[in-house]
Amino acid sequence: MKIVTVIGARPQFIKAAALSRVLRQQKGVQEILVHTGQHYDDNMSEIFFEQMEISWPDYHLGIVADTHGAQTGRMLEAIEAVLITEKPDRALVYGDTNSTLAGALAASKLHISVAHVEAGLRSFNMRMPEEINRIVTDRLSDILFCPTGTAVKNLQNEGFAGFKQVKIVKSGDVMQDAAIYYASKEQMPELPAGGVAIEKEFGLVTLHRAENTDVPQRLSDIFMALAEISLELPLLMPVHPRTRQKLDSAGVDLGMSSFAPDKFCLIDPVGYLEMVFLLQRCSLVMTDSGGLQKEAFFFGKPCVTLRDETEWVELVGSGFNMLAGSNKERIIEAVGRMKNVVVTDEDGMYGAGKAADCIVGALLGQLTHAKAQRR
Ligand code: UD1
Ligand code: UDP
């Protein structure tokens, strides 16, 4: 079986690391890896291939930032060319980025079956580019790997169970597979002298959603909340390039002169192994990242989500995650309420680290079934 996997953004490297390892152990499976180039800085791309031992991409398309239409369109054209050359049995896409959408669209137009990992998630907020990407990708896919029961229900509510040839599999979450596999390989990050002391209590922060970074009022409200919280709980924040651009243009100095660095320390993005190190030691996570919300849970840490809604509703339902949006008072209150919450994973609600086995089993099983039918 020949599979073309399309990835391009940081969280997709992490998800692919977990699944690719299992996929490539299977006899008769050939994976061709396509990197669209969506994320391109060394600390947003290459570092993950090195640290997580992901095999180097067979194709690097070099398609960097642009408007959504231009970026997705250029990816579509370039991925189509790869698919025509490689003639795979299946395309594999992850998550909800522009790379995901372009991969699914290129493959489905060529009648190549599409497998979507992290299918069925919904924020019900159509202003999010990710919501558009995931809805379209799900509709174009014929095997949908849902990380949670909620994701399965979302697809059922949209009538997916009635679509012929569509298979829905509740697989668990490959990010938990990654968290378990790499936990013991953690690496201590290099931090600036005089920055937050990570051997003491600290909160780990990330922020990159367009809905926060691209709306000046939201960005400034969130930063005002963070600055105030940091006086009680020092904060460490690896800054995403999108956010860095917005902070630069707002005159906030990443060289830390804008905040007391031992209280609120802004650093460049770190690798996954450094992130695992920080996740295992922080007291609380504050984020608008989808991946970080789950990783907080995998590493037993409470999370305050800097969004108005989340796709990972089961974490909010369990009391391990609280939605605080961008309002300064709400964020401060949420941190006060969440910081001592004890987080335990008793129900294995994300698959307990077996998602990749489940996905690979289903992919191989479906192909064998299709071959038997053709005979
Ligand atoms: C993208 C995804 C988002 C995902 C996030 C993960 C879309 C629509 N969005 O958002 O769903 O949560 O990745 O991190 O696909 N940049 C750099 N260096 C890099 C990467 C990006 O400077 O290595 C800059 C780009 O030039 C651009 C900005 O950051 O100006 C945003 O990058 P882009 O890939 O368009 O979107 P993300 O915000 O990263
Ligand atoms: N991450 C990382 N270094 C950082 C920040 C995040 O390795 O400096 C990891 C994080 O641990 C998680 C993933 O990147 O595994 C989340 O990606 P991101 O927040 O960019 O995207 P999202 O999950 O929101 O789509």
Side-chain angles (χ1 to χ4, degrees):
M1 170 169 41
K2 190 176 192 179
I3 295 181
V4 165
T5 296
V6 179
I7 53 180
R10 174 167 71 186
Q12 292 165 333
F13 309 140
I14 292 157
K15 291 164 200 172
L19 183 49
S20 212
R21 177 173 311 102
V22 179
L23 198 55
R24 287 172 186 242
Q25 284 163 2
Q26 311 304 313
K27 261 204 201 130
V29 172
Q30 183 191 7
E31 185 184 35
I32 306 288
L33 201 56
V34 180
H35 185 328
T36 62
Q38 180 168 352
H39 285 175
Y40 49 88
D41 292 340
D42 284 354
N43 59 11
M44 292 293 290
S45 175
E46 198 173 325
I47 194 168
F48 298 98
F49 288 82
E50 282 167 4
Q51 286 191 339
M52 305 181 85
E53 298 176 317
I54 308 168
S55 93
W56 199 242
D58 300 279
Y59 294 85
H60 195 299
L61 306 180
I63 299 165
V64 298
D66 212 324
T67 60
H68 283 277
Q71 185 184 51
T72 313
R74 285 162 57 215
M75 287 176 185
L76 179 61
E77 190 175 0
I79 296 168
E80 182 181 66
V82 172
L83 293 172
I84 288 171
T85 306
E86 293 292 343
K87 300 183 180 50
D89 300 295
R90 188 181 292 287
L92 181 61
V93 295
Y94 292 87
D96 52 22
T97 72
N98 289 345
S99 300
T100 316
L101 174 63
L105 198 49
S108 57
K109 289 266 184 163
L110 291 170
H111 306 147
I112 296 166
S113 123
V114 179
H116 185 201
V117 176
E118 227 181 57
L121 295 174
R122 297 291 182 265
S123 65
F124 303 100
N125 175 359
M126 286 303 285
R127 291 187 59 81
M128 284 180 76
E130 293 85 358
E131 185 76 353
I132 299 168
N133 290 344
R134 54 172 90 101
I135 287 174
V136 178
T137 301
D138 281 344
R139 190 62 190 88
L140 298 176
S141 302
D142 45 25
I143 180 155
L144 295 137
F145 293 109
C146 296
T148 59
T150 311
V152 173
K153 277 200 199 98
N154 288 337
L155 292 179
Q156 286 166 346
N157 291 342
E158 290 174 22
F160 273 72
F163 297 151
K164 272 197 195 148
Q165 316 292 349
V166 168
K167 188 168 176 189
I168 298 174
V169 179
K170 185 179 163 202
S171 58
D173 195 316
V174 289
M175 286 195 105
Q176 186 160 30
D177 297 26
I180 292 170
Y181 184 83
Y182 292 99
S184 62
K185 302 178 194 294
E186 62 167 15
Q187 277 178 23
M188 189 166 140
E190 272 183 39
L191 296 174
V196 163
I198 55 170
E199 60 286 359
K200 300 195 188 135
E201 270 214 318
F202 70 97
L204 180 61
V205 184
T206 76
L207 190 82
H208 75 278
R209 293 267 157 219
E211 73 210 54
N212 283 329
T213 59
D214 296 9
V215 180
Q217 188 64 51
R218 287 184 72 103
L219 188 61
S220 117
D221 287 352
I222 290 172
F223 266 82
M224 279 181 359
L226 294 176
E228 195 162 322
I229 290 161
S230 71
L231 301 175
E232 298 278 321
L233 176 70
L235 299 177
L236 182 65
M237 177 173 185
V239 183
H240 189 283
R242 173 189 282 280
T243 315
R244 184 179 55 216
Q245 285 170 7
K246 302 293 169 184
L247 292 176
D248 283 349
S249 51
V252 177
D253 178 8
L254 243 195
M256 303 192 307
S257 58
S258 299
F259 303 103
D262 59 329
K263 298 285 184 209
F264 188 13
C265 186
L266 286 76
I267 57 172
D268 284 333
V270 296
Y272 184 73
L273 300 185
E274 286 83 1
M275 210 55 194
V276 166
F277 184 98
L278 296 170
L279 279 158
Q280 299 200 83
R281 284 165 182 76
C282 69
S283 347
L284 172 107
V285 171
M286 301 175 70
T287 193
D288 62 2
S289 157
L292 250 293
Q293 288 175 60
K294 289 174 290 170
E295 285 168 347
F297 170 71
F298 301 152
F299 289 102
K301 304 301 159 78
C303 183
V304 171
T305 294
L306 305 168
R307 288 181 52 196
D308 299 319
E309 72 277 312
T310 181
E311 300 75 22
W312 306 103
V313 288
E314 48 290 314
L315 293 176
V316 177
S318 317
F320 300 145
N321 185 349
M322 189 167 171
L323 293 174
S326 64
N327 178 277
K328 183 182 160 199
E329 304 312 326
R330 259 180 74 198
I331 296 172
I332 294 170
E333 192 201 325
V335 169
R337 283 176 53 182
M338 294 303 290
K339 71 178 178 219
N340 296 319
V341 166
V342 177
V343 176
T344 49
D345 181 4
E346 277 160 11
D347 304 334
M349 63 179 150
Y350 290 104
K354 301 273 177 246
D357 288 337
C358 170
I359 290 171
V360 170
L363 286 174
L364 295 178
Q366 210 197 28
L367 197 84
T368 314
H369 178 71
K371 274 188 182 153
Q373 280 191 330
R374 276 202 298 275
R375 262 189 236 122

